[in-house]
Amino acid sequence: MKTLPFLLMLSACYTACQTPHRGDLLFHLPATGNHITEVTQGTADHVVIYLGGDSVLESIPGKGVVVSRLSTMLQRESGQYVRGRVRDVDAERSISNACSFIGRPYDSVFSSTTEAIYCSELVQQSYVDKQGKLLFQPIAMSFHDSMGHITSYWQDFYSSRGLAVPEGQPGSNPANLMSQTKTKRLKR
């Protein structure tokens, strides 16, 4: 559903359902599984921050942390987006925190530093409550399948970069953010 009909459906959904709020999260659910979804517990492989109107903030390969057009983002990949609202969030402060990362490169090796940053790390490092406390704590990164074996894709991915697979290191992933009790999935 990569085309205009999906965009029209999403637009109708936003009109007919709850109005999106600044700071809502949009989670991408790919049409088919991929190397991210096969090692995380859930189906989301990307997350963006809704800024309002036709704007979202995201971290994407090749561009890093950027403001993108919502309409363009929705057409970029097949699958669907699910909207989530974070409870007890200071949305404006969280958006301001996230915007401070604009221009940082994309973290293609999913490290725990913020010199470069990946999509769910952007949310995890930015979203705070009214007291300024981070809402999403790091979790142990997973690069293993349901049998507990690190997949050959991730072994090759890190080996080709001269790195060890960061299995168990602190991090984040979109599926985990979407499944947290702090994130309320909103009806379409």
Side-chain angles (χ1 to χ4, degrees), residues 1-183:
M1 291 180 56
K2 171 177 180 174
T3 59
L4 185 58
F6 176 69
L7 184 57
L8 293 173
M9 180 190 76
L10 186 64
S11 176
C13 162
Y14 278 169
T15 303
C17 303
Q18 294 176 301
T19 304
H21 292 182
R22 275 176 55 85
D24 280 355
L25 301 175
L26 299 174
F27 296 94
H28 180 252
L29 309 179
T32 59
N34 57 41
H35 299 295
I36 294 172
T37 61
E38 75 180 358
V39 296
T40 57
Q41 296 194 342
T43 56
D45 70 351
H46 186 55
V47 60
V48 305
I49 300 167
Y50 179 69
L51 297 177
D54 192 33
S55 298
V56 295
L57 182 65
E58 62 181 332
S59 185
I60 51 178
K63 292 187 178 182
V65 181
V66 295
V67 175
S68 300
R69 292 182 59 165
L70 173 64
S71 54
T72 302
M73 181 207 68
L74 292 172
Q75 294 179 41
R76 196 168 53 220
E77 297 182 50
S78 63
Q80 65 177 327
Y81 279 86
V82 173
R83 189 162 43 102
R85 181 154 303 145
V86 180
R87 295 180 170 115
D88 304 320
V89 66
D90 182 335
E92 291 307 316
R93 190 170 180 184
S94 297
I95 289 170
S96 177
N97 292 343
C99 286
S100 73
F101 290 106
I102 291 174
R104 297 266 174 103
Y106 182 77
D107 185 355
S108 61
V109 296
F110 311 104
S111 68
S112 60
T113 69
T114 56
E115 293 167 7
I117 198 158
Y118 55 96
C119 68
S120 59
E121 183 181 32
L122 178 63
V123 173
Q124 189 269 319
Q125 291 288 324
S126 301
Y127 272 59
V128 294
D129 62 17
K130 303 287 185 199
Q131 290 73 44
K133 182 179 174 187
L134 287 175
L135 287 169
F136 298 106
Q137 298 306 310
I139 59 166
M141 300 265 280
S142 165
F143 296 89
H144 63 269
D145 60 20
S146 60
M147 301 297 289
H149 303 109
I150 295 175
T151 66
S152 59
Y153 173 84
W154 291 111
Q155 289 176 10
D156 294 343
F157 177 90
Y158 283 101
S159 176
S160 70
R161 290 159 175 78
L163 300 169
V165 177
E167 178 76 15
Q169 294 299 309
S172 177
N173 69 64
N176 176 266
L177 294 176
M178 189 170 80
S179 69
Q180 296 240 352
T181 58
K182 295 174 190 81
T183 307

